[in-house]
């Protein structure tokens, strides 16, 4: 915001002057709350998947440090987080990449749930399909907490697809190991 205000101050200042300060304060409060909850989720996931994890402050710094890099092509910041976890906790990428993968999936599911709540509130005629989709998303989230079920599904998919690309499926199985 500060950079934009410096670069485009002649256009931004009149617009910001029309916005009530209470609305700006609420916006900043919700952004702060959102980032705090996401950082807490990251620390929880890291604690679940890394053995000797007891430095939640360092893990939170790693997560927050990846935010500036998430706007890069290919979300390099996400991979930076896995690298930083590997470096600071002396773990392999097979243990740190699932954390990044799970965090992105949970972000996707959160957005889908918000979209479904929006459908619930706007269009009453599609409540049943939206509710079914909501249940499917919740089931998917629960699968993240039961990796053995996910591993069985990956193995079944590999069998049904004619066993192509064994290394890709082995990597997916390794992601679900922990």
């Amino acid at each position: 915001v500060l950079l934009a205000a410096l670069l485009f101050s002649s256009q931004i200042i009149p617009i910001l002057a029309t916005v009530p300060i209470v609305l700006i304060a609420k916006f900043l409060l919700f952004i702060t709350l959102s980032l705090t909850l996401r950082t807490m989720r990251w620390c929880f996931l890291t604690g679940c998947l890394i053995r000797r994890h007891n430095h939640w402050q360092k893990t939170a710094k790693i997560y927050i440090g990846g935010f500036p890099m998430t706007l890069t092509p290919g979300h390099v910041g996400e991979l930076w987080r896995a690298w930083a976890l590997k470096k600071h906790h002396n773990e392999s990428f097979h243990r740190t990449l699932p954390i990044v993968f799970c965090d992105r999936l949970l972000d996707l599911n959160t957005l889908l749930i918000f979209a479904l709540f929006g459908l619930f509130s706007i269009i009453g005629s599609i409540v049943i399909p939206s509710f079914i989709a909501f249940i499917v998303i919740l089931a998917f989230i629960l699968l993240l907490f039961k990796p053995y079920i996910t591993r069985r599904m990956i193995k079944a998919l590999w069998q049904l697809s004619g066993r192509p690309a064994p290394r890709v499926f082995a990597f997916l199985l390794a992601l679900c190991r922990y």
Side-chain angles (χ1 to χ4, degrees):
V1 170
L2 182 62
L3 181 62
L6 290 174
L7 293 176
F8 304 104
S9 61
S10 62
Q11 292 105 8
I12 290 180
I13 291 175
I15 294 170
L16 287 178
T18 63
V19 178
I21 194 73
V22 174
L23 186 62
I24 293 173
K26 285 180 183 178
F27 173 75
L28 292 175
L29 176 72
F30 283 124
I31 291 293
T32 304
L33 180 65
S34 169
L35 295 179
T36 302
L37 290 174
R38 290 175 68 193
T39 303
M40 289 171 59
R41 180 186 66 202
W42 175 264
C43 291
F44 172 75
L45 292 172
T46 304
C48 289
L49 294 176
I50 293 184
R51 292 174 289 231
R52 305 165 309 277
H53 177 267
N54 57 2
H55 301 289
W56 67 267
Q57 294 98 343
K58 189 183 294 185
T59 304
K61 287 179 186 176
I62 290 170
Y63 186 70
I64 293 167
F67 278 130
M69 297 180 68
T70 56
L71 298 176
T72 57
H75 292 278
V76 176
E78 304 296 332
L79 296 178
W80 178 85
R81 288 176 180 149
W83 174 83
L85 282 174
K86 177 187 180 302
K87 180 181 176 192
H88 291 289
H89 294 289
N90 198 22
E91 292 286 347
S92 69
F93 279 118
H94 286 286
R95 290 189 82 74
T96 59
L97 279 177
I99 298 168
V100 174
F101 183 71
C102 189
D103 184 56
R104 296 308 300 163
L105 284 176
L106 289 173
D107 276 345
L108 172 67
N109 285 330
T110 303
L111 289 173
L112 290 174
I113 288 170
F114 281 139
L116 289 174
F117 282 138
L119 285 175
F120 283 148
S121 65
I122 293 173
I123 305 170
S125 64
I126 60 167
V127 171
I128 303 280
S130 297
F131 183 72
I132 292 170
F134 181 72
I135 297 298
V136 168
I137 290 171
L138 284 179
F140 182 73
I141 291 171
L142 292 176
L143 281 178
L144 291 176
F145 292 105
K146 301 289 184 188
Y148 66 91
I149 296 173
T150 308
R151 288 176 56 86
R152 287 183 184 167
M153 290 172 51
I154 291 171
K155 287 178 183 178
L157 180 64
W158 187 55
Q159 296 282 336
L160 292 172
S161 63
R163 299 182 180 187
R167 287 184 180 211
V168 172
F169 281 94
F171 178 73
L172 291 173
L173 287 173
L175 283 177
C176 298
R177 182 178 305 139
Y178 306 105

